[in-house]
């Protein structure tokens, strides 16, 4: 059994696909397949069920995965300990961000980190907040920008970037525009367009509806907040979004506060608590990027200068 075989095994398990795993570890698919077959031969059992369209772990594979990750983490810890003594930072960081994320300070932090520590490979991935948090806990991601329903996810470290209330957004002339603010009961009289389940904004909305006993009709769902706004502009439903995102679509959309939603979604940078010099340095760069002063925003949510734009809760 070799370390590279364990690395390939973990890659296939997480990607559920030999082709994507091969791209991730930078060798051919046939090379990955051959090493996995050799590992299975050495262990005397199949680790993957290859009968479906995607590759799934067998019970033996599930049992082996945790130990394979631990073995690879132990080897990385040895390298990191030696590198710290020698003043070097190397390795690989998996950075997650919610789908359709446009929070520029994160990219500024990644740029500054890359120029300071070019020996660290940075891998970016997009997903919903719920799945990114699962990846952090499973060890398949190191740090992620996520939207949550107001508190730090258990078992993770987090740095809060911004919190703001949800609003109902509708085109001018909609009946709800006549009200100074709306309730969930008011919204239940109309179709609603929203981000999909798994988004932090959606969780806040769903939890509030459940607490109020309101059955809400979700007419359309879309992963991109801008698509939600466009659907509302065309009269296909009342959009549930953060105030900062709707500002990009005025005067075509009018907003009203939702009176009985008391929890505010929070955009946070979350990371694992593992001792990792590269991760510690990236967190440092992120804190610096997100605490730099920002100018006032234009109606299109575009900075008037080249300084870092205001973060928004437009992401999932």
């Amino acid at each position: 059994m070799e370390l590279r075989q364990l690395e390939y095994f973990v890659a296939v398990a997480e990607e559920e696909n030999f082709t994507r795993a091969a791209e991730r570890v930078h060798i051919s698919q046939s090379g990955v397949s051959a090493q996995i077959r050799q590992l299975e031969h050495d262990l005397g059992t199949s680790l993957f069920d290859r009968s479906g369209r995607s590759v799934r772990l067998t019970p033996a594979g599930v049992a082996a995965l945790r130990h394979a990750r631990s073995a690879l983490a132990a080897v990385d810890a040895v390298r990191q300990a030696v590198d710290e003594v020698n003043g070097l930072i190397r390795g690989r960081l998996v950075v997650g961000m919610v789908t359709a994320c446009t929070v520029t300070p994160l990219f500024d932090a990644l740029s500054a980190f890359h120029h300071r520590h070019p020996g660290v490979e940075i891998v970016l991935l997009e997903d919903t907040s719920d799945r990114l948090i699962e990846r952090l806990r499973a060890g398949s991601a190191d740090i992620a920008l996520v939207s949550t329903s107001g508190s730090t996810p258990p078992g993770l470290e987090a740095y809060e970037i911004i919190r703001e209330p949800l609003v109902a957004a509708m085109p001018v002339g909609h009946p709800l525009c006549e009200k100074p603010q709306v309730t969930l009961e008011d919204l239940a009289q109309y179709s609603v367009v929203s981000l999909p389940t798994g988004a932090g904004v959606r969780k806040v909305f769903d939890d509030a509806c459940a607490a109020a006993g309101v059955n809400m009709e979700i007419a359309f769902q879309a992963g991109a907040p801008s698509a939600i706004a466009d659907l509302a502009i065309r009269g296909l439903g009342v959009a549930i979004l953060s105030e900062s995102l709707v500002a990009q679509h005025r005067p075509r959309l009018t907003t009203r506060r939702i009176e009985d939603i008391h929890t505010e979604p929070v955009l946070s940078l979350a990371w694992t608590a593992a001792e990792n010099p590269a991760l510690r340095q990236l967190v440092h760069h992120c804190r610096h990027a997100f605490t730099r002063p920002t100018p006032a925003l234009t109606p299109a949510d575009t900075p008037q200068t080249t300084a870092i734009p205001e973060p928004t809760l437009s992401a999932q």
Side-chain angles (χ1 to χ4, degrees), residues 73 76-78 80-81 84 142 157 271-280:
D76 284 342
V78 172
Q80 289 165 10
E84 280 198 276
D142 298 293
E157 303 286 339
W271 62 91
T272 58
E275 284 297 315
N276 183 327
L279 178 58
R280 288 200 302 269

Side-chain angles (χ1 to χ4, degrees), residues 3 66-80 274-275:
L3 284 174
R66 179 170 62 90
H67 297 289
R69 283 173 171 157
S70 296
L72 293 173
V75 172
D76 284 342
V78 172
R79 292 195 182 103
Q80 289 165 10
E275 284 297 315

Side-chain angles (χ1 to χ4, degrees), residues 19 30 39 72 93 99 104 127 142 151 170 174 184 192 233 247 256 260 264 284 291 296 309:
T19 300
S30 60
L39 179 60
L72 293 173
L93 289 176
T99 305
T104 307
D127 213 329
D142 298 293
S151 59
M170 68 288 295
H174 191 282
L184 292 171
V192 168
I233 288 169
R256 292 292 183 268
D260 39 0
E264 294 178 335
H284 169 76
T291 54

